[in-house]
Amino acid sequence: MKIFTIAWRNLWRKPWRTVISSGSIFFGVLLSTFMTSMQYGSYESMINNVVKFYSGYMQIFTEDYHENKTINNTFIFNGSIKQIIEDEPKVTNYTPRLEYFSLASSENLTKGSIIIGIDPIRENMVTGLKKWVEKGRYLSKDDDAVLIATDLAKYLNVGVGDTIVLYGQGYHGVLAAGIYPVKGILNFPSPELNKQFIYMPLNSCQQLFSAPNRLSSLVLMLHDNYQLPSALSHLKSKIKPPFMIRSWEELQPGLVQMIEGDKAGGLFMKSILYLIITFGILGTILMMVSERKRELGVMIAIGMQRYLLSRILFIETFFIGLLGAAAGIIVSIPITYYYYLNPVPLEGDAAKTMIDMGIEPYMYFSIQPDIYYVQAVVVFIITLFIAVYPVIKAYTLSLTSALRS
Amino acid sequence: MNVIEIKGLTKIYNTSEVIVKAVNGIDINFEKGEFTAIVGPSGSGKTTFLNMLGGLDKPTSGKVIIGGVDVWKLSSRQLIDFRMNNIGFVFQSYNLIPVLTAGENVEFIMHLQGKPKKERKQRTKDLLEAVGIGNRINARPSKLSGGQQQRVAVARALASKPEFILADEPTANLDSTATNSLLELMSKMNKKYNTTFIFATHDQRVIDKAHRIVTIEDGKILSDECFERD
């Protein structure tokens, strides 16, 4: 007669009680998994938006450029940096950029703008820039033209086929000036970008600023955010001064803080949920031990060592946790997977707010394995905590009072 | 030959209001194969005496020496093992483990003793047949009558081959047919295995079967008489 058999049969002495106790864990795990999946899905969506929209997962630039983003602190893209990037298997793509400020003018109107020189093909592979072209056409490598963001175009009163003048300071203080036709109008989901961005082919941009072969940054892409820590640490060990590499987390500290804040809120909610479950199960266990006091006393009286008895009681508690957690995880997997494949579209003001923030108006779900196994670990810890009571009871049970009960 | 020697056994309960001497300095010996009834009115100290004798309740003072071992000098773990190997218990309310079948209840103690499976199975079968319910080996206690449950309890008490069996009011919940049948059974087991039986009882039918009757009152032995019985 294994102690497992006794523990298992004890569970089913009052099947409804076991079902209700395990059921509370089941619903707790299901709800918590669903919440976490939705939470992580929204983070992944936000990170995706930021990373795939502009910043990439990592950027390489010079230490001086990091301190002072002037064109004088740009660098020449040489073979050694290229080799390091191409040797890193987790990097799926990269794109060079030369980014600086300039005045943009048309007839009597002038506005400060951000000029970004890009490799049109690589940039489109990394950030999908082409999809934001609202009017006109996307750039090709040899163009000597620009793509202008829609609000800036409206301000300057220019359209496709019109020309704008870019005027500013180039490398080492030389005059930077050029006249460029507008090849396309970009409409980003972010009002801030729509007010100030101008894209042009890298060569044209380098000529404009008299900075041949110079780049301000290299934007690196990975398959997903989970590969970031190892890729970043690997590349950091290889990239030596004057170059440096920074992750999107370091480049976008505001987003990281927002996610951490939201995670803390979610953790608080889940803690309350699990606290309620803990007390629910504790109540069941207290009752289970209390009504079997005499039986436990008899088992010790006839020769069962207290440690064996405590093992039985622990296994019973553990089984309740295991049943609930396993059922919760098993049921939550297909549900979250369904929503992972079919994100919930948002409507109304919520959708508008998200669009204004440059985020697609969908409620995304994540299916990262840790969402599921963390629940199992949490339930296991709760079970351990609750199981302390019957274990203590088994060790401190007074035989005479138990037999009299 | 003395199986059990009891010297100056005392149990004092200190409540907030009064001090109760439940057992008051009892000296007594029990021999191998005895069939003894401890009798006395309610509250006389029978159960307390039996609990101390069985290593369930610690005496305030005095000694319980079983087979040369001073029981109350053993550690908690040693005491549990000692009970398992030397003492069988039959309780008033049967106290079988409800999730185990009759057979498993009997086998359970041998499992704790670490006996091989084959031996356990055979002895379980033999004992349940000996107590007359071999055909109910797979029945759970809830499916057995009170008399049948008490028979299983006797089989369980005998399973570990103990030196003696302590039975606290074993017939209190049984009707007269079941009581007579159980007493016949215990008497038979006493003769067959030469196991010492000590009952705490005030059931006259049990008293009539006993070879020795020890009367306790106010925690003291009032009389100790031996009888020749068939």
Side-chain angles (χ1 to χ4, degrees):
Chain A
M1 225 128 356
K2 305 280 189 302
I3 56 172
F4 276 98
T5 313
I6 297 176
W8 181 254
R9 287 186 193 171
N10 273 329
L11 280 188
W12 302 108
R13 282 162 78 161
K14 295 201 173 167
W16 276 109
R17 187 166 65 193
T18 302
V19 167
I20 289 168
S21 302
S22 293
S24 72
I25 297 176
F26 165 78
F27 283 111
V29 168
L30 186 64
L31 192 61
S32 177
T33 308
F34 194 76
M35 271 168 60
T36 312
S37 171
M38 200 162 72
Q39 215 180 353
Y40 281 33
S42 74
Y43 302 153
E44 282 169 14
S45 162
M46 271 191 264
I47 293 166
N48 236 11
N49 270 292
V50 167
V51 162
K52 290 190 178 158
F53 190 69
Y54 190 72
S55 77
Y57 283 102
M58 294 175 283
Q59 286 188 17
I60 295 172
F61 33 70
T62 63
E63 291 171 332
D64 291 341
Y65 187 81
H66 183 59
E67 293 296 319
N68 181 12
K69 288 185 175 47
T70 160
I71 197 150
N72 294 334
N73 291 332
T74 54
F75 63 95
I76 292 176
F77 186 29
N78 60 29
S80 66
I81 288 288
K82 190 177 179 188
Q83 197 60 48
I84 289 170
I85 294 169
E86 289 178 354
D87 284 352
E88 174 52 55
K90 290 193 170 74
V91 173
T92 54
N93 215 334
Y94 69 94
T95 187
R97 283 184 193 153
L98 178 61
E99 184 180 326
Y100 201 44
F101 300 95
S102 165
L103 293 173
S105 301
S106 70
E107 295 190 352
N108 297 329
L109 298 163
T110 300
K111 196 168 191 282
S113 314
I114 297 171
I115 314 297
I116 304 158
I118 56 165
D119 176 330
I121 296 168
R122 283 190 172 273
E123 185 71 28
N124 189 48
M125 286 166 76
V126 168
T127 64
L129 182 64
K130 196 174 177 179
K131 70 173 177 278
W132 304 117
V133 176
E134 184 186 46
K135 287 176 192 162
R137 285 182 295 123
Y138 186 62
L139 295 170
S140 63
K141 196 178 177 182
D142 300 323
D143 280 342
D144 198 19
V146 297
L147 298 173
I148 183 167
T150 180
D151 290 350
L152 182 58
K154 277 178 199 160
Y155 180 84
L156 295 174
N157 197 22
V158 293
V160 176
D162 293 337
T163 54
I164 58 166
V165 172
L166 300 178
Y167 181 85
Q169 195 178 55
Y171 188 61
H172 283 172
V174 297
L175 181 71
I179 184 164
Y180 300 93
V182 175
K183 193 174 180 184
I185 306 290
L186 296 165
N187 189 4
F188 293 114
S190 160
E192 281 308 302
L193 302 189
N194 280 333
K195 283 179 197 165
Q196 51 186 343
F197 269 36
I198 293 173
Y199 282 88
M200 61 197 301
L202 188 59
N203 282 340
S204 293
C205 190
Q206 287 167 337
Q207 279 176 22
L208 170 67
F209 291 112
S210 304
N213 300 322
R214 299 194 82 83
L215 302 177
S216 53
S217 63
L218 282 159
V219 177
L220 276 57
M221 288 303 282
L222 301 168
H223 187 264
D224 57 47
N225 198 43
Y226 290 87
Q227 297 184 329
L228 181 63
S230 63
L232 184 67
S233 113
H234 191 224
L235 287 171
K236 270 189 174 172
S237 69
K238 290 196 165 178
I239 290 171
K240 307 291 179 205
F243 295 102
M244 67 187 299
I245 184 164
R246 286 286 179 268
S247 68
W248 69 266
E249 291 162 329
E250 292 163 303
L251 298 168
Q252 308 275 350
L255 179 63
V256 175
Q257 278 173 10
M258 196 193 89
I259 289 174
E260 291 305 319
D262 196 67
K263 270 186 182 172
L267 188 66
F268 180 71
M269 291 292 290
K270 279 183 270 181
S271 302
I272 291 173
L273 182 70
Y274 276 119
L275 198 65
I276 294 167
I277 293 170
T278 303
F279 282 107
I281 305 168
L282 188 61
T284 304
I285 299 298
L286 285 173
M287 201 184 297
M288 206 167 81
V289 172
S290 169
E291 71 185 18
R292 281 164 55 197
K293 200 172 161 189
R294 186 214 291 252
E295 183 186 320
L296 303 179
V298 169
M299 287 169 104
I300 297 171
I302 65 172
M304 180 172 245
Q305 289 290 354
R306 288 175 191 265
Y307 75 89
L308 280 176
L309 189 64
S310 69
R311 213 174 278 176
I312 289 177
L313 295 171
F314 176 81
I315 292 168
E316 285 176 30
T317 315
F318 183 71
F319 272 150
I320 290 175
L322 186 70
L323 285 173
I329 290 168
I330 288 167
V331 172
S332 67
I333 288 172
I335 294 174
T336 48
Y337 190 68
Y338 172 81
Y339 284 111
Y340 170 75
L341 295 177
N342 305 284
V344 181
L346 296 173
E347 291 172 357
D349 289 346
K352 192 174 174 303
T353 309
M354 289 182 82
I355 291 168
D356 288 348
M357 288 167 70
I359 301 168
E360 290 177 87
Y362 283 91
M363 192 180 282
Y364 287 97
F365 285 76
S366 172
I367 51 165
Q368 289 304 320
D370 57 341
I371 292 171
Y372 308 101
Y373 74 70
V374 163
Q375 308 308 321
V377 170
V378 169
V379 171
F380 181 70
I381 292 168
I382 288 174
T383 308
L384 283 183
F385 169 73
I386 294 169
V388 169
Y389 173 77
V391 167
I392 290 172
K393 196 74 189 168
Y395 275 97
T396 57
L397 187 72
S398 156
L399 269 185
T400 41
S401 74
L403 292 172
R404 268 199 298 266
S405 65
Chain B
M1 178 193 158
N2 290 335
V3 177
I4 304 164
E5 293 172 61
I6 292 167
K7 293 174 184 170
L9 200 64
T10 304
K11 181 73 183 181
I12 300 170
Y13 291 108
N14 269 316
T15 64
S16 55
E17 289 169 3
V18 284
I19 293 171
V20 180
K21 280 193 173 179
V23 174
N24 192 0
I26 287 181
D27 294 299
I28 192 169
N29 295 334
F30 295 96
E31 289 181 10
K32 179 84 179 159
E34 273 191 17
F35 201 73
T36 304
I38 312 287
V39 301
S42 294
S44 58
K46 305 188 292 292
T47 299
T48 308
F49 172 71
L50 219 62
N51 283 343
M52 290 191 289
L53 179 55
L56 300 176
D57 197 3
K58 192 168 185 172
T60 309
S61 62
K63 284 182 179 180
V64 176
I65 298 165
I66 300 172
V69 177
D70 189 341
V71 169
W72 288 106
K73 283 196 172 162
L74 297 173
S75 69
S76 171
R77 273 195 175 199
Q78 287 171 327
L79 184 57
I80 292 173
D81 277 343
F82 185 84
R83 280 199 302 264
M84 177 175 69
N85 292 313
N86 296 282
I87 311 170
F89 292 95
V90 178
F91 301 96
Q92 179 180 336
S93 312
Y94 330 129
N95 288 342
L96 299 177
I97 300 167
V99 294
L100 301 181
T101 63
E104 287 167 341
N105 262 287
V106 176
E107 193 186 341
F108 181 64
I109 196 158
M110 291 184 276
H111 184 85
L112 293 175
Q113 285 179 310
K115 297 263 169 69
K117 190 175 179 180
K118 200 176 165 188
E119 187 187 329
R120 291 195 321 248
K121 296 284 176 197
Q122 188 58 51
R123 186 160 169 79
T124 299
K125 193 167 167 278
D126 292 347
L127 282 168
L128 285 178
E129 274 169 9
V131 298
I133 50 167
N135 57 339
R136 306 305 313 271
I137 191 164
N138 292 318
R140 292 262 180 108
S142 58
K143 302 288 177 196
L144 299 173
S145 69
Q148 286 174 324
Q149 286 189 58
Q150 201 60 301
R151 283 162 178 267
V152 177
V154 172
R156 178 179 69 180
L158 288 164
S160 62
K161 297 183 181 170
E163 286 294 317
F164 64 101
I165 288 177
L166 298 179
D168 189 9
E169 305 281 7
T171 58
N173 291 336
L174 301 180
D175 59 31
S176 56
T177 315
T179 299
N180 289 334
S181 166
L182 185 77
L183 288 171
E184 283 301 325
L185 168 73
M186 286 180 164
S187 178
K188 203 170 96 184
M189 296 295 120
N190 170 246
K191 283 170 190 155
K192 186 174 177 181
Y193 299 110
N194 198 29
T195 307
T196 309
F197 276 77
I198 302 172
F199 304 89
T201 187
H202 43 228
D203 185 335
Q204 193 55 47
R205 293 163 297 187
V206 181
I207 297 166
D208 291 344
K209 283 272 178 189
H211 301 168
R212 181 180 175 191
I213 298 169
V214 178
T215 308
I216 294 182
E217 207 170 303
D218 296 332
K220 289 180 179 172
I221 294 176
L222 209 64
S223 64
D224 186 354
E225 299 165 289
C226 292
F227 301 90
E228 286 294 325
R229 312 263 199 214
D230 289 335

